[in-house]
Amino acid sequence: MSDRFQVLVKDVMAKPITIAKSAFVSEALDKMLGEGVDPLIVTNNGTVIGTTSRAAIAETLGSRKTQALKATSIHVANTVEENFTSAYPDQSIDVLVPLLQHYKLVVVFDAEHRLIGQVTAGDLLKVLRPAGGILDVMEPAHTIQGEERAVHLRRRMLDHEIDRFIVEDGDAVLGIVTETDVAKALHALKDIVEGTHQDYRIRNLLVRDIMTTPLISVDADTDVSDVIDLMLKKNISSVPIRQNNRITGVVTRNSLVQGL
């Protein structure tokens, strides 16, 4: 039996990070950013009812239904994704691979169905590394111009299920914009702009106003383990890949798990 199958879920699980469904989305986003996690486990009277993610919060904050509301008055219950998956501590780590290929987080219960832990792609990648090179686990790099409106960015994210874009000015790379950047920007606007003016401000927000810069990227001949170590050290979810001084793809935590 390989070492991989001798490792158990309890050996890689982390302390569960939860948020009550009655909490406000501002608290949930602050906890995600402070703890460096995404998503959070949502509970109701101590019972797990689902998860909430930065993407779900961004979608809720950008909705016309919440246009006049501040982030401090919108409850987590409005962002809950009830479809989640779970495992038990004494199961082989191998059960986590297919689960994390479809979910961002695995909830860990004990024999009495009490919440005792969680496992994310980052937790799994600390002990399992895909074979092969960077090009074997690379996803296409989607691009957007910095002068594009953020509302168009959100629409592309939702319509095409893309969670990150490389931001360009012509052919020059400026940075990267992710679901996290969108959530943070909408949260900030809702806190400082009156409800009647929020729609105007949001519609005039540009991609370059919310992007993350400078861009952290690596060459295509970088070892996969070195890329994973970089992602874990910097607590980032993706790393763009350079070939011939151009961004030709991106490695994400999800693409790495898909390669296991």
Side-chain angles (χ1 to χ4, degrees):
M1 184 178 292
S2 69
D3 291 341
R4 166 173 170 170
F5 296 101
Q6 294 175 21
V7 180
L8 303 178
V9 171
K10 64 184 177 183
D11 297 323
V12 299
M13 72 180 189
K15 178 183 177 181
I17 302 176
T18 65
I19 191 82
K21 78 167 190 176
S22 58
F24 297 111
V25 296
S26 54
E27 181 184 346
L29 185 58
D30 286 344
K31 180 171 280 193
M32 287 184 197
L33 296 174
E35 299 279 356
V37 297
D38 182 27
L40 290 177
I41 299 171
V42 181
T43 61
N44 181 29
N45 297 322
T47 299
V48 177
I49 62 171
T51 62
T52 184
S53 64
R54 300 178 193 185
I57 289 176
E59 185 174 353
T60 299
L61 291 177
S63 169
R64 286 189 175 275
K65 293 180 181 179
T66 64
Q67 180 176 324
L69 301 175
K70 289 185 176 293
T72 50
S73 61
I74 303 170
H75 291 283
V76 169
N78 293 299
T79 69
V80 175
E81 298 160 332
E82 297 179 351
N83 185 23
F84 67 96
T85 191
S86 62
Y88 294 97
D90 291 326
Q91 289 182 284
S92 165
I93 193 178
D94 191 53
V95 304
L96 296 172
V97 177
L99 295 179
L100 286 171
Q101 287 175 341
H102 292 89
Y103 296 88
K104 287 186 175 182
L105 177 143
V106 176
V107 177
V108 183
F109 293 118
D110 66 11
E112 284 72 44
H113 207 69
R114 293 174 299 198
L115 175 64
I116 60 171
Q118 66 178 47
V119 183
T120 64
D123 299 315
L124 187 63
L125 290 168
K126 290 177 183 177
V127 295
L128 292 184
R129 303 289 168 100
I134 285 294
L135 301 183
D136 298 317
V137 292
M138 188 174 70
E139 297 179 352
H142 302 281
T143 62
I144 192 166
Q145 292 296 306
E147 295 301 312
E148 192 78 43
R149 295 184 186 275
V151 289
H152 297 160
L153 164 71
R154 280 191 62 248
R155 180 46 51 196
R156 287 182 66 183
M157 285 180 161
L158 293 172
D159 288 350
H160 303 290
E161 297 183 347
I162 300 172
D163 52 15
R164 72 200 74 237
F165 287 85
I166 304 299
V167 184
E168 298 180 332
D169 179 12
D171 292 330
V173 174
L174 300 180
I176 189 169
V177 63
T178 68
E179 295 166 332
T180 298
D181 296 310
V182 174
K184 287 167 60 178
L186 292 175
H187 176 273
L189 276 180
K190 280 188 169 293
D191 273 359
I192 64 175
V193 180
E194 292 184 8
T196 54
H197 300 293
Q198 282 180 11
D199 187 57
Y200 173 80
R201 286 290 299 274
I202 289 173
R203 288 189 172 278
N204 285 277
L205 196 65
L206 302 180
V207 170
R208 61 174 169 78
D209 297 326
I210 67 173
M211 69 180 182
T212 296
T213 187
L215 185 69
I216 299 174
S217 62
V218 300
D219 292 325
D221 59 357
T222 304
D223 188 82
V224 171
S225 285
D226 290 337
V227 174
I228 293 174
D229 290 341
L230 174 65
M231 294 169 74
L232 295 175
K233 179 181 178 181
K234 297 288 187 181
N235 196 23
I236 53 179
S237 60
S238 62
V239 177
I241 306 303
R242 295 188 307 265
Q243 286 181 293
N244 300 319
N245 294 319
R246 297 190 63 184
I247 302 297
T248 56
V250 60
V251 171
T252 69
R253 296 192 182 198
N254 179 64
S255 71
L256 289 162
V257 172
Q258 296 297 329
L260 292 174

